[in-house]
Amino acid sequence: MWAFRSLGVIGAYIVLGLIMLYIATRSNVLAPLFGYGVLAIVVFFLIRYLSTRYVIDDEFLRARRILGGRAVPLESVRKIEYVNLNDLSPSAYFGGWGYRGRMWSPVIGPFDSIHTGSRGLLVTGSGVPLFITPQDVDSFGRELSRRARSEGVALEVDETHPPAPPAPAS
């Protein structure tokens, strides 16, 4: 499933790119180099943003994007939680633009963030937790839960799969 995409974010990248293109084509000797250099960086980050996707196969949950990604073995998944990135109060190492988007939260400590929005899933498995933002968070979470449980995993927290109602008292 592709990641959530915000038209506002895409529009901001396009506007910034157009500004850099204007600077590069309308300036003197050094400004064109600066303008084209920043334009290349803006285009790279737009492509990276648009390339973010999530795949659940027989063995792994894979979060992928250009120049970075992360795989979490389904057999190691222990928690699947709905989370808003704002609630985690993250601060990023190097702006969160690194290979994995490693971030730190006072709520959960270090975590990897391969996201494009703020509402998503926090998946705790092997290594540090992983924050993802699929287009349809609910259905992706249910499918992840189903696949992890089919691997024989007893999830400690599974907000995507409500517990069975209690049996009627006799």
Side-chain angles (χ1 to χ4, degrees):
M1 179 178 287
W2 290 100
F4 167 80
R5 292 193 176 109
S6 166
L7 293 178
V9 171
I10 294 169
Y13 276 119
I14 290 171
V15 167
L16 186 57
L18 290 173
I19 291 170
M20 290 298 106
L21 185 61
Y22 178 80
I23 289 172
T25 58
R26 303 281 187 228
S27 298
N28 57 17
V29 178
L30 289 179
L33 294 176
F34 172 76
Y36 285 125
V38 174
L39 176 62
I41 292 169
V42 168
V43 168
F44 169 75
F45 279 116
L46 174 60
I47 291 169
R48 184 175 159 115
Y49 177 83
L50 295 173
S51 72
T52 305
R53 65 190 182 284
Y54 311 106
V55 177
I56 306 171
D57 61 26
D58 294 339
E59 298 178 38
F60 295 95
L61 160 64
R62 298 178 194 275
R64 297 178 173 165
R65 65 179 170 202
I66 291 177
L67 291 182
R70 168 113 185 265
V72 177
L74 292 176
E75 64 192 24
S76 76
V77 173
R78 296 294 172 248
K79 296 180 183 179
I80 304 171
E81 303 168 274
Y82 290 114
V83 175
N84 189 316
L85 190 60
N86 298 331
D87 295 337
L88 295 177
S89 304
S91 59
Y93 302 117
F94 304 108
W97 294 341
Y99 167 67
R100 291 191 186 150
R102 182 64 49 96
M103 303 183 106
W104 184 84
S105 164
V107 178
I108 62 169
F111 68 101
D112 288 340
S113 180
I114 300 180
H115 75 284
T116 57
S118 70
R119 181 180 181 267
L121 294 171
L122 184 65
V123 180
T124 304
S126 63
V128 299
L130 173 65
F131 178 74
I132 60 174
T133 55
Q135 282 179 344
D136 186 347
V137 175
D138 297 326
S139 68
F140 192 87
R142 284 191 301 272
E143 181 63 16
L144 177 59
S145 171
R146 186 187 73 75
R147 298 258 184 122
R149 286 182 285 113
S150 72
E151 289 288 318
V153 173
L155 295 167
E156 297 168 20
V157 176
D158 185 2
E159 294 180 357
T160 65
H161 184 74
S170 41

